[in-house]
Every structure is written in structure tokens, then in C-alpha cells.
Amino acid sequence: MTKRVAILISGGGSNMVSLVDSMTGDHPARPCLVLANSAGAGGLAKAEARGIPTAVVDHRPYKGDRQAFEAELARVIDATEPDILCLAGFMRVLTEGFVSRYRGRMLNIHPSLLPKYRGLHTHARALEAGDPDHGCTVHEVTPELDEGPILGQARVPVLAGDTPDTLAARVLVEEHKLYPTVLRRFAAGDRTPVFLP
Ligand code: GAR
């Protein structure tokens, strides 16, 4: 049976686009919702242009009440009856209660080779450490930030003269290959990790 996928974004949504555009033909899943935590998220228009239902649950009115924000988030998500949730540049930390609700069916993409560099500023941190390579990871979401079983990784070289921006751009190209690859496998029931290239 075709799986329904809800995608959560905060920004431009380039990973969301790569996921949506991959779900065609014999793909075992289809997008059912693109949700942003800000009406200003650039990805919303890209989802609308692709005919995907969109929603906004702005976190700002819930300042200080994360549980109320997440209750509304869950209400809007659950109304679309997704089988899988994909965090794609969704920049809100989620509580254990929310994560537990979707445990085993929520994925995230993170711009580092986890377990290295959980959290923010991953590209700058890889450069500061003098790492010879860097990359991105898709993992199942568990309550601890940027932890959970690794479902796939893609690696890029760090080049002389790289800045956080040039390195981020090189990693993003790989994110757009890795996340659709993992989602397709995951939707078909395959959780064995994949390593690109
Ligand atoms: C991506 O690089 C993603 O890996 C990162 O945000 C960017 C979103 O770009 N996610 C995180 O840092 C999560 N901690 P996009 O909106 O163009 O997909």
C-alpha cells in the first residue's frame, strides 16, 4: 500500500523538493502534507506549485509553551494521516512526547557525518577541526537531538579554500541524493543503512 509522507520544513525547502519530486511512478510513497513553522518559509510556495497540501503552525504565538505548539502540530499532521514524517530543515527542537508519538516513522536529515557535530554550525565545525571529509546523515528521530539509528550517509571531500558556505553547498548536493534514496528504501520497509556515493 502506498505510504503517505508529511514533510516538515522551516526554510527554503530544497530537501523537501527533492523528496516530493522523487515520489512518482513506482515509488512506494506519496507526499500528503508540507508543514512549516513559519508562513515565511520559502518552501511553502514550492510545495503549492507542486500541488501538495500545505499548512503553517507558527511556533511564535506559543512562546514558552512548547507542548501547546506540539499539540497543534500533531493535530494538523494527524489530520492528513501520514505513515512517515520527514524533517527537512525543520529547525525546532522537539520534545520527547512528540517524538514518541511518531517513533519509528520520523526521519531527519542532518548536515554532518553523525555522530560528529550534532546541533548547529556543522560546516564551520568540520572546517575548524581540519576534517578531510564531511557530509550528511539521514537518521530515525529519537528524543536525543540528532541521534537515532543511522539510515544513510553521504560523504564529500573538504577542499583547500573551503568556507562554511562552499562546504554547505557541496554537502547540500549530496543531501538531495541521499534523502530520496533513504526515503524510498524506508517506505519499502528497508532500514538497513545506505552509504553514498
Ligand atoms: C539542510 O542543509 C539540512 O540538512 C539542515 O538545514 C538545511 C535545510 O535546507 N538541517 C539541519 O541543520 C537540521 N539540524 P533546505 O530547507 O533547503 O532543505
Side-chain angles (χ1 to χ4, degrees):
M1 212 179 72
T2 305
K3 297 281 188 343
R4 296 168 62 80
V5 180
I7 306 171
L8 275 58
I9 64 170
S10 295
S14 69
N15 275 289
M16 175 275 295
V17 166
S18 76
L19 292 174
V20 165
D21 288 353
S22 74
M23 284 185 261
T24 61
D26 66 353
H27 196 290
R30 290 289 184 274
C32 63
L33 173 70
V34 170
L35 182 150
N37 64 303
S38 162
L44 288 169
K46 297 173 194 167
E48 279 158 19
R50 286 166 171 76
I52 315 298
T54 61
V56 176
V57 180
D58 194 330
H59 63 279
R60 285 169 296 189
Y62 298 95
K63 202 165 185 264
D65 191 350
R66 196 176 282 182
Q67 294 208 335
F69 167 63
E70 290 183 351
E72 178 62 5
L73 208 53
R75 191 188 66 76
V76 174
I77 291 168
D78 291 351
T80 69
E81 302 186 339
D83 301 294
I84 299 170
L85 265 65
C86 289
L87 306 182
F90 187 69
M91 304 306 275
R92 306 305 302 170
V93 174
L94 298 165
T95 68
E96 181 163 3
F98 185 87
V99 171
S100 302
R101 185 186 193 99
Y102 301 106
R103 192 154 190 160
R105 54 194 185 105
M106 179 155 55
L107 313 184
N108 180 44
I109 187 154
H110 182 74
S112 78
L113 295 171
L114 290 173
K116 280 188 165 182
Y117 314 129
R118 298 184 175 108
L120 299 175
H121 310 301
T122 57
H123 310 299
R125 288 157 69 197
L127 286 174
E128 274 160 29
D131 290 353
D133 49 19
H134 183 48
C136 51
T137 303
V138 176
H139 63 97
E140 274 184 50
V141 178
T142 55
E144 305 76 29
L145 184 68
D146 299 329
E147 292 221 11
I150 288 175
L151 297 167
Q153 287 189 318
R155 199 172 284 268
V156 302
V158 176
L159 303 179
D162 261 338
T163 65
D165 284 349
T166 61
L167 188 51
R170 193 174 312 117
V171 170
L172 194 61
V173 171
E174 298 308 311
E175 292 185 39
H176 296 161
K177 297 177 199 160
L178 180 68
Y179 212 172
T181 300
V182 170
L183 176 62
R184 188 182 185 109
R185 292 160 61 96
F186 189 84
D190 183 358
R191 296 181 186 213
T192 53
V194 61
F195 295 94
L196 303 179

